[in-house]
Amino acid sequence: MCGITGILEKQGSKVEESVIKQMTDIISHRGPDDEGIWCKDNIGLGHRRLSIIDLSQTGHQPMFSDDGRYVIVFNGEIYNFPELKEELIKKDYKFHSTSDTEVILALFKEKKYDLPKYLNGIFAFAIWDKKEKELFLARDHFGVKPLYYYYQKGRFIFASEIKSILQIKGINKELNKNALDILLTFRHTPSPLTLFKNINKLEPAHSIIIKSNISIKKECYWNYIPVIENKKENYYKEKLQHLYFSATKRQMISDAPIGLSLSSGVDSGALLAIMSEISDEPIKAFTVDFEEGYKTNEVYEAKKTAEMFGAEFYSYIIKASDYIDFFENYIWHLEEPIGNESAAAYYFVAKEARKHVKVLLNGQGIDETMAGYGRHIGIKYSKQYQKIPAFIRNNFLKPLIFNLNKNEQLKRAVISLDYNDLSERFLKTYTIVHENQKKQLYNSEYHNFVCDVNYKGHFEKFRQKVNDLSLLEQMLYIDTRTSLTDNLLLCEDKMSMATSIEARVPFLDVPLVEFIESIPGKYKLKLLTGKYIHKKTVEKWLPKEKIYMKKRGFDNPMEKWLKAGLKHFLLELINDNNSISNQYFNIDYLNKLYNKHETGKEDYTRFLFLLLSVEMWNRKFILNA
C-alpha cells in the first residue's frame, strides 16, 4: 500500500525531480518505508512505499519491465497475483521478486489496456510506455484506492492525494461551486468531481490513456450487469460460505503483521471467525468507542466476540478532546468534506492498530450489497405504500411522521415515496438537503448559479444499466458504486493511510460481489430483516444470538459536541467574513437551523457536521493556500 504521483507534460518540456519529490514528500504517511523518483524529459513518476508484500528492496518503485520499455508506480494489493504469476511463468516470463507489482508489469505486456479486467484487488497505478510515449492509469473496481488527476493547459498530473497535485505551481486552489451544491445534496462529492475546480478523481473501474500530446481517453473496463438467478436458499448460503472463506484467505496474504477492525456487529465478527480458522496465530482485533454516552457499548460487545475466538483484543475510548484536537488534521488528510460524523473514528482504530500491525481487514461493503440500511426497506415496500389512499397518507401518516423530532432520514424516505417517477424517487431518497431547503439556505446569486444541475445523472447512469431489476436490486447496485466509494471507502483509505495502515475489504472481493449481485433481492431483505441470506450464511461461524441481536450501528456523541465543545468552533467558521457560508448561504437561516438543533427541536447533526467540515476545508485549503 503506497502513494503514487506523476506529471506528463507536452513533448519538449521537462519534468524536474525536485517537483516530483515535493509531490511524494507531502504524502510520506502513505509510504514511510521507501521512496522512489524517476524522470525522463517530459514524464516524471514518484512513489512512497508501505512494504506489505516482498519486504526487500526488490519491490522498490518505480519499477521497470525486463526490457526496460515500461515503468510503473503502483498503490494497492493484487490478491490473485500468485495465480496470475503461475500463468505467466508458463509463458516463459522470468521474475526477480515476490512482488505483485512485477506481475502487473508482465501482465501489461500480455494484455495491454485490458490488464485491469484480470486483476482482483485494490489498486491505483500508472504505467509509462517509453516506446509509444503513452501513460496508462487505472483504479480498482470499487474505488478502494483513490486516484486524482489534473488535466489542463497541456499537462496531466496525477496522485493518490489531492495535496500532491496542489504542490505544483500554476494550479489555482479554487472551489468548484457546482460540486459544493452536489456535496450538500448527497453529503459526498460523486466521482469524477471533487470540491476543487479542475481536479477530478478517476471513477472506480475506469482507466485512462494519455498520449504524449496530452490527449486523453477514458474507459470503463468493468461494466458488470447482474443476472439474477432463482435458486434455493441453501444454494446461496453454501456458495457464500465458500466465497467468504476464499476471499478472506486471499486478503490475508501479507509479509507484514495483519489484524482486524472489529465492531460489535455481525460482519466483522464473521471475518474474525474465518480469520481465526485460517491463521495459526491469534488474530489481533481493534475497537474504539466514545467516552460520552456509550450508546452502542461497542467495546463491550466487540470484546465478547474477540474472546469467543481467542483474539488479542485492543481498544481505545475516544474523548471529545481527541476529536476536536484531531479535526484540522482530519480535514487535511480527508481532503474531501463528507457528511459522515463517524469517519474520523477510523483514524483512531488505525492509530491503535499501527502499534501492532500494518494491515487491517474490516467488514465494509456488505450493507450496500446485502440490504443493510433502512432506505432499502423503504424502497422495497414503496409500491405498497403508494397503494394506501392519498387521503390517509396526506392527512394521517405524513403529519404523524413530520411532527416527530429528530427524524431526518425517515422524513426523506416519506418524501421520496410521493414520486411515481423512479429516478425522482431515488433522488429524493439520497438527497440530504432538498430543494425547498436550498431555496432558504442559498443566497439568490448562488441558487441561480446551480438551479439547472442534473442531480439524477450521478446515479441514473447506473440505474439505467439495471432497469429490469427490482427497485431494491437497483438501489443495491447503485449504492455499491456510488455512496460506498465516494463516502465510506474514501474515508477509510484516507484515515487508515494517515497512520500508515493498509485497510482491506474482503466483502468487496470481486468474484464475491459478482455472485452476491446475482442473488434475488427477496433473499437479501426478507420482511424487515436486512442482510437475511448473509446472516443465514454466517450461522456457520457465529452463534445466533450474536447474529440476530439488534443492529447498533456506530453511534457517536456528535449531536452533543455540536452543542458544546464544537459549538464555538462551528459558529466562528460560519461567521468568518471569508467563509463559504457568508459567500453563498443565508446566515440568518443557518442560525435558525442551529438554534433548532441546540434546543433539541430538530436533529441537524449530519448537516451541521458537513457544514463544519466544508468550512474547515475552506480555511485549510483555500484561504490558507
Side-chain angles (χ1 to χ4, degrees):
M1 198 64 68
C2 311
I4 63 174
T5 63
I7 302 175
L8 178 62
E9 302 275 11
K10 282 186 176 178
Q11 287 186 339
S13 302
K14 183 172 178 61
V15 176
E16 300 291 341
E17 283 193 19
S18 59
V19 176
I20 300 296
K21 180 161 177 56
Q22 268 186 291
M23 294 177 71
T24 55
D25 281 352
I26 202 165
I27 56 168
S28 60
H29 50 274
R30 296 190 74 92
D33 297 332
D34 190 21
E35 66 175 323
I37 293 170
W38 176 80
C39 293
K40 180 70 174 176
D41 300 326
N42 62 321
I43 178 75
L45 301 175
H47 187 262
R48 294 292 314 208
R49 187 181 185 209
L50 179 65
S51 303
I52 302 295
I53 301 292
D54 187 355
L55 303 184
S56 69
Q57 285 300 303
T58 55
H60 177 78
Q61 296 182 45
M63 184 180 286
F64 298 81
S65 60
D66 266 352
D67 58 7
R69 175 175 171 176
Y70 304 110
V71 193
I72 187 173
V73 284
F74 163 59
N75 169 28
E77 303 293 344
I78 307 301
Y79 303 125
N80 64 332
F81 90 90
E83 300 95 308
L84 295 171
K85 188 173 184 177
E86 283 183 20
E87 292 300 315
L88 289 165
I89 289 172
K90 291 175 185 176
K91 296 181 179 181
D92 294 326
Y93 280 87
K94 307 296 182 187
F95 293 93
H96 307 285
S97 73
T98 58
S99 165
D100 50 354
T101 312
E102 191 178 10
V103 175
I104 297 173
L105 268 179
L107 194 62
F108 184 70
K109 293 173 73 172
E110 280 283 307
K111 306 297 183 183
K112 290 294 285 187
Y113 302 130
D114 284 336
L115 163 67
K117 297 177 183 178
Y118 297 87
L119 304 179
N120 179 12
I122 51 178
F123 56 83
F125 61 77
I127 300 175
W128 173 247
D129 183 339
K130 294 181 181 178
K131 181 179 178 182
E132 296 296 332
K133 306 297 182 186
E134 291 179 355
L135 185 65
F136 178 66
L137 299 96
R139 188 180 180 199
D140 65 70
H141 299 68
F142 303 105
V144 178
K145 303 314 299 175
L147 187 57
Y148 298 94
Y149 65 92
Y150 171 93
Y151 173 52
Q152 293 280 319
K153 301 176 183 178
R155 65 194 332 200
F156 183 88
I157 305 169
F158 70 89
S160 297
E161 296 189 10
I162 295 171
K163 59 181 68 70
S164 283
I165 297 174
L166 296 179
Q167 298 306 298
I168 307 301
K169 290 181 180 178
I171 295 182
N172 295 324
K173 302 172 181 67
E174 295 181 49
L175 169 72
N176 182 335
K177 292 195 289 184
N178 273 325
L180 173 64
D181 173 54
I182 293 166
L183 166 63
L184 293 172
T185 303
F186 298 123
R187 78 174 172 137
H188 65 266
T189 311
S191 300
L193 298 174
T194 75
L195 210 50
F196 292 90
K197 188 176 181 180
N198 297 326
I199 296 179
N200 290 332
K201 51 182 179 265
L202 183 60
E203 298 96 316
H206 277 68
S207 61
I208 293 180
I209 303 169
I210 306 99
K211 307 283 187 180
S212 58
N213 63 355
I214 319 300
S215 62
I216 186 170
K217 180 183 178 183
K218 184 162 64 172
E219 291 185 344
C220 179
Y221 65 79
W222 185 68
N223 201 12
Y224 177 71
I225 308 297
V227 177
I228 305 297
E229 298 182 297
N230 195 13
K231 300 194 176 183
K232 300 287 187 182
E233 183 179 304
N234 273 344
Y235 166 78
Y236 294 115
K237 185 173 75 172
E238 291 170 7
K239 180 82 170 179
L240 284 171
Q241 287 170 348
H242 167 72
L243 288 170
Y244 283 1
F245 186 88
S246 59
T248 306
K249 186 174 183 179
R250 258 197 299 274
Q251 298 202 21
M252 287 178 70
I253 186 171
S254 175
D255 295 326
I258 192 166
L260 172 70
S261 173
L262 181 66
S263 72
S264 62
V266 62
D267 306 330
S268 59
L271 286 180
L272 176 58
I274 298 169
M275 291 173 73
S276 300
E277 194 173 318
I278 293 167
S279 176
D280 294 329
E281 302 292 328
I283 302 299
K284 293 178 172 63
F286 304 89
T287 304
V288 298
D289 206 345
F290 293 92
E291 183 180 48
E292 297 181 37
Y294 286 103
K295 291 182 182 178
T296 60
N297 212 355
E298 195 81 3
V299 169
Y300 174 73
E301 290 294 339
K303 187 176 182 181
K304 283 171 58 178
T305 306
E307 290 171 348
M308 196 181 302
F309 297 100
E312 294 180 20
F313 184 72
Y314 304 87
S315 63
Y316 182 80
I317 303 300
I318 304 170
K319 301 181 289 295
S321 58
D322 292 330
Y323 235 66
I324 294 167
D325 292 345
F326 175 60
F327 201 81
E328 187 173 350
N329 282 332
Y330 160 72
I331 292 297
W332 188 81
H333 282 293
L334 192 62
E335 302 179 315
E336 296 191 65
I338 287 173
N340 183 344
E341 312 90 80
S342 298
Y346 199 77
Y347 168 83
F348 294 98
V349 178
K351 183 181 178 184
E352 181 66 26
R354 192 60 176 85
K355 301 171 186 175
H356 308 276
V357 301
K358 269 189 170 181
V359 181
L360 206 56
L361 274 63
N362 67 75
Q364 199 73 265
I366 205 72
D367 282 314
E368 288 75 13
T369 58
M370 284 285 201
Y373 296 128
R375 64 175 174 267
H376 299 141
I377 298 174
I379 204 69
K380 179 174 181 177
Y381 295 110
S382 59
K383 289 182 179 178
Q384 287 85 339
Y385 175 86
Q386 289 197 319
K387 290 177 182 178
I388 298 172
F391 176 80
I392 296 176
R393 279 188 279 141
N394 294 330
N395 292 286
F396 294 98
L397 293 180
K398 281 187 184 176
L400 177 65
I401 291 169
F402 280 88
N403 284 329
L404 293 173
N405 287 339
K406 305 181 180 181
N407 61 343
E408 176 261 334
Q409 293 184 47
L410 184 57
K411 286 180 180 178
R412 210 160 12 103
V414 171
I415 290 170
S416 73
L417 295 176
D418 276 340
Y419 291 85
N420 292 319
D421 179 81
L422 295 182
S423 295
E424 198 65 36
R425 193 183 303 172
F426 272 65
L427 174 62
K428 299 306 179 186
T429 302
Y430 289 117
T431 298
I432 302 299
V433 182
H434 55 73
E435 186 56 36
N436 287 336
Q437 289 175 310
K438 287 180 181 179
K439 288 177 182 177
Q440 301 174 77
L441 173 63
Y442 295 173
N443 62 33
S444 57
E445 183 180 350
Y446 186 55
H447 190 268
N448 290 336
F449 178 82
V450 298
C451 64
D452 294 326
V453 175
N454 176 21
Y455 305 106
K456 288 189 285 190
H458 293 285
F459 62 82
E460 185 67 7
K461 59 187 176 184
F462 297 110
R463 200 186 76 79
Q464 289 299 331
K465 294 178 183 179
V466 290
N467 201 29
D468 58 334
L469 302 185
S470 72
L471 292 183
L472 173 62
E473 290 156 356
Q474 289 180 40
M475 179 170 274
L476 298 179
Y477 186 86
I478 293 168
D479 282 357
T480 305
R481 288 155 180 81
T482 55
S483 60
L484 174 63
T485 293
D486 291 317
N487 178 351
L488 299 177
L489 293 178
L490 184 145
C491 294
E492 180 182 87
D493 172 83
K494 298 292 183 68
M495 293 300 100
S496 61
M497 293 308 293
T499 69
S500 305
I501 277 275
E502 173 177 304
R504 296 183 181 177
V505 279
F507 289 127
L508 291 177
D509 198 70
V510 177
L512 170 57
V513 173
E514 290 182 339
F515 178 73
I516 289 175
E517 291 192 328
S518 75
I519 301 174
K522 65 181 181 181
Y523 288 124
K524 297 176 181 178
L525 180 55
K526 193 166 187 177
L527 297 178
L528 298 179
T529 301
K531 301 193 289 190
Y532 170 79
I533 193 65
H534 170 65
K535 291 173 181 176
K536 297 299 289 185
T537 297
V538 301
E539 284 180 5
K540 176 179 180 179
W541 293 290
L542 294 175
K544 289 186 178 181
E545 59 268 23
K546 178 70 177 177
I547 297 170
Y548 298 102
M549 65 184 285
K550 184 179 179 181
K551 184 175 179 178
R552 297 171 180 269
F554 192 67
D555 210 345
N556 64 69
M558 185 56 66
E559 180 190 352
K560 285 184 181 178
W561 293 349
L562 286 166
K563 299 174 185 177
L566 287 171
K567 173 182 177 178
H568 298 295
F569 189 37
L570 171 63
L571 295 179
E572 175 197 332
L573 287 169
I574 289 172
N575 290 294
D576 186 279
N577 288 334
N578 295 312
S579 70
I580 284 176
S581 298
N582 257 312
Q583 293 178 70
Y584 303 109
F585 303 154
N586 182 332
I587 294 293
D588 289 338
Y589 180 69
L590 281 179
N591 285 328
K592 287 178 183 177
L593 286 184
Y594 184 81
N595 287 337
K596 286 183 180 180
H597 179 84
E598 188 175 33
T599 57
K601 291 180 179 179
E602 292 285 357
D603 181 3
Y604 290 120
T605 302
R606 180 169 289 176
F607 171 73
L608 291 172
F609 179 80
L610 177 57
L611 184 64
L612 173 64
S613 301
V614 167
E615 292 295 3
M616 177 53 75
W617 172 88
N618 182 51
R619 178 177 288 188
K620 190 74 178 174
F621 286 101
I622 305 298
L623 300 181
N624 294 337

